[in-house]
Amino acid sequence: MAELSPKLIYSAIFIFAVALTVKDFYQTNEPETTVKEIPDTKFKQTFIGPTLKFLYWPNQFALISVGYRRVFEQYASILQEKYPDITVLGDTYPPPMLYLRLAQFLGVAKLVLIAVILANLNPFPSMGLPTPAIFQWLLSNRMYGCLMTFFTLNMLEGQLVSTGAFEIIFNDVPVWSKLQTGRIPSPPELFQILDNHMMLRSSSF
């Protein structure tokens, strides 16, 4: 079997990095209507009655955020059984715009750095600067350097856009914030909150 040439391997690494970066970019910038997760319910189109909305950030780099999405799905199922008249919605919680822009900048910088490494370019001598030891190591170990650059900057991107949010809004009124409390409410706590708000809502009519 013929061995793969280094040029082919480096090209494959660069294409892989570009593909994942573009995928992450479009996932981060999807419009709200395309990322909305609405459990199957006969009220989801007409929005009859009270509305309970969960906002969370399902960051693909943070396993704990995947858990938040599962928590939302579990809560939606429980709530629809206990409160059949409530419309349960799920949506993403956007990160601060500054962090989002920084993550996008890192995504571009990651591709540029990987391209420079693969092309074996050293811009420091042309600028009259000594070559940093870490950059010299990246040029001397291009395959490992590209992989290390990709995964390190990917991790930083994920940390920038990972909010850890799990916010709950009932009829446009915030009733729970993980960003403020540092935790997700237990089902009995959420039931009590909803009962209190529905009681207030009933007494106002």
Side-chain angles (χ1 to χ4, degrees):
M1 180 182 292
E3 294 184 358
L4 295 176
S5 66
K7 184 177 181 180
L8 182 60
I9 295 175
Y10 297 152
S11 299
I13 293 174
F14 183 70
I15 293 173
F16 175 75
V18 170
L20 287 186
T21 301
V22 171
K23 172 178 173 289
D24 295 343
F25 179 83
Y26 278 105
Q27 282 185 344
T28 304
N29 290 277
E30 280 182 337
E32 180 179 349
T33 55
T34 63
V35 295
K36 182 173 294 185
E37 297 182 21
I38 305 176
D40 289 334
T41 169
K42 61 184 178 181
F43 300 110
K44 70 179 180 182
Q45 296 296 333
T46 55
F47 298 104
I48 298 174
T51 300
L52 185 67
K53 188 171 187 178
F54 292 77
L55 297 178
Y56 57 91
W57 181 249
N59 181 8
Q60 61 268 33
F61 299 112
L63 296 178
I64 191 170
S65 292
V66 176
Y68 292 165
R69 182 168 61 241
R70 291 173 182 165
V71 170
F72 157 69
E73 293 169 353
Q74 293 171 358
Y75 273 47
S77 177
I78 296 173
L79 290 167
Q80 286 174 348
E81 292 181 5
K82 185 173 178 61
Y83 305 98
D85 294 333
I86 293 182
T87 300
V88 181
L89 304 176
D91 207 342
T92 57
Y93 186 92
M97 185 57 64
L98 175 60
Y99 288 178
L100 179 60
R101 296 307 179 199
L102 285 175
Q104 292 172 345
F105 172 79
L106 283 179
V108 175
K110 172 180 61 184
L111 295 181
V112 172
L113 182 56
I114 290 175
V116 169
I117 295 171
L118 292 178
N120 200 25
L121 297 177
N122 188 350
F124 292 97
S126 61
M127 295 184 293
L129 299 174
T131 302
I134 182 64
F135 189 78
Q136 189 62 55
W137 183 89
L138 292 174
L139 293 180
S140 301
N141 303 271
R142 285 187 284 173
M143 182 179 298
Y144 294 112
C146 287
L147 292 175
M148 186 185 74
T149 299
F150 177 79
F151 287 111
T152 300
L153 292 182
N154 244 25
M155 182 180 65
L156 291 176
E157 289 177 62
Q159 290 299 318
L160 283 172
V161 299
S162 180
T163 61
F166 194 83
E167 316 301 289
I168 304 176
I169 302 171
F170 182 71
N171 285 345
D172 298 326
V173 178
V175 296
W176 189 275
S177 172
K178 180 182 176 293
L179 295 178
Q180 295 180 1
T181 62
R183 64 183 182 89
I184 295 174
S186 64
E189 286 178 315
L190 185 54
F191 296 158
Q192 185 63 51
I193 291 172
L194 292 179
D195 289 339
N196 292 340
H197 279 267
M198 293 179 69
M199 188 179 304
L200 290 173
R201 183 172 181 268
S202 299
S203 61
S204 63
F205 288 102

